[in-house]
Amino acid sequence: MRKLFIAGNWKMNKTISEAVELVNSLKREVVDIESVDIVVCPVFTALSEVADLVIDSNIGLGAQNVYWEEVGAFTGEVSPKMLKDAGCKYVIIGHSERRKYFGETNETVLKKIKAVQSAGLSPIVCVGETLDEREQKKTIEVIEKQLKDGLKEIKDDNLEDIIIAYEPVWAIGTGKTATPEQAEEIHKFIRGWIKENYSSDISEEIRIIYGGSVKSSNAKDLMSQPDIDGALVGGASLESQLFVELIKNSL
Ligand code: 13P
């Protein structure tokens, strides 16, 4: 039985004080929830403060990006070791916004996964097709390539530790969620691909979460699909009440 995994990707939102306020409220509201791995991914500047607040709680901490080198002359970048030092357990890698605006590719995704795992962090690896690709019926082809190239040298033992997030680009921030059936079709494909390329056991264990306009009203329908094990939430994770409702409606 795979434990539900629900992460809030705050993107470029919240000052330190706003982050603290949100997490304090979230902590109170979810204190009794044990059946879900709850994670928040604030901006870099708020990581340490949030880490102090969640340290003994049922909320995990993730970062939204990372660089693959450990230290050195890489102005503006942050290494896996530094994220671990700040209290992170997870890192989002390959989000479509990073692919679109910051030149992230399947090759950099692979480098980041390896670096993050060497530092003892768990990657949340994002895949997903654009609207154009969907309309051209290339969804499976695109996802397969993202998996094949992004996970190219990742061995069985390391795959178990990865969370895959299927985020159709056309559903992100648009209010246009994939239907539970559309999402399930791709999640099932991803699980099948893992079975074929790794093993049946790993495919049963790995968590594949959905992202793209998830909110409290659609969370249950999405997460009751057999291959959807949680959600990566943008907008609806920015207000404690909305995120809490979404989590509770997913149970
Ligand atoms: P929204 O929930 O705002 O659509 O964002 C999804 C997302 O990109 C999470 O990583």
Side-chain angles (χ1 to χ4, degrees):
M1 188 62 183
R2 298 180 293 268
K3 189 174 179 185
L4 272 184
F5 185 99
I6 301 181
N9 173 10
W10 294 1
K11 308 192 179 182
M12 198 174 72
N13 291 288
K14 307 282 175 198
T15 60
I16 295 173
S17 62
E18 288 165 349
V20 166
E21 194 186 325
L22 171 51
V23 169
N24 272 331
S25 158
L26 184 63
K27 233 169 89 168
R28 281 194 299 276
E29 297 285 339
V30 300
V31 68
D32 294 327
I33 300 179
E34 285 169 7
S35 55
V36 185
D37 281 332
I38 300 168
V39 174
V40 291
C41 303
V43 292
F44 287 141
T45 48
L47 284 175
S48 283
E49 302 272 345
V50 172
D52 289 344
L53 295 178
V54 299
I55 197 157
D56 285 320
S57 78
N58 57 341
I59 300 173
L61 184 67
Q64 299 173 19
N65 185 33
V66 66
Y67 191 57
W68 54 81
E69 295 289 347
E70 202 169 310
V71 289
F74 303 102
T75 302
E77 296 297 323
V78 176
S79 76
K81 195 173 154 189
M82 291 162 187
L83 294 181
K84 183 143 190 179
D85 187 42
C88 288
K89 194 162 174 243
Y90 303 95
V91 187
I92 299 172
I93 296 176
H95 191 281
S96 61
E97 286 149 16
R98 295 225 56 90
R99 292 180 192 255
K100 182 172 172 195
Y101 302 123
F102 304 103
E104 189 89 280
T105 62
N106 295 332
E107 289 66 40
T108 59
V109 165
L110 177 61
K111 285 186 181 185
K112 290 181 179 189
I113 295 173
K114 287 185 187 167
V116 154
Q117 291 192 318
S118 304
L121 297 163
S122 297
I124 301 170
V125 180
C126 303
V127 296
E129 81 288 4
T130 61
L131 183 59
D132 207 33
E133 288 161 345
R134 175 160 282 261
E135 284 175 352
Q136 290 180 46
K137 310 221 173 309
K138 286 191 177 155
T139 301
I140 296 288
E141 190 187 315
V142 169
I143 306 287
E144 184 164 27
K145 185 157 175 55
Q146 288 171 338
L147 294 171
K148 200 167 149 227
D149 295 351
L151 302 175
K152 201 170 174 176
E153 292 147 19
I154 305 298
K155 303 270 177 293
D156 288 23
D157 286 354
N158 286 332
L159 197 77
E160 286 167 15
D161 180 44
I162 291 178
I163 289 136
I164 295 180
Y166 168 56
E167 297 204 310
V169 180
W170 48 272
I172 295 176
T174 58
K176 207 173 160 191
T177 328
T179 63
E181 294 73 26
Q182 279 174 323
E184 170 60 19
E185 184 193 358
I186 307 304
H187 282 238
K188 196 172 172 190
F189 166 75
I190 295 171
R191 205 176 297 289
W193 187 90
I194 290 164
K195 185 175 175 185
E196 216 171 278
N197 290 277
Y198 289 87
S199 73
S200 182
D201 282 356
I202 295 174
S203 78
E204 286 307 315
E205 272 164 35
I206 196 162
R207 288 182 289 185
I208 307 171
I209 63 176
Y210 170 81
S213 300
V214 181
K215 38 192 186 280
S216 61
S217 57
N218 58 25
K220 182 78 193 169
D221 283 347
L222 285 160
M223 279 174 256
S224 50
Q225 296 294 317
D227 292 296
I228 302 184
D229 308 315
L232 187 54
V233 185
S237 71
L238 293 175
E239 269 181 53
S240 170
Q241 208 45 45
L242 289 181
F243 197 42
V244 169
E245 262 176 42
L246 186 158
I247 295 167
K248 291 190 173 163
N249 280 358
S250 308
L251 301 174

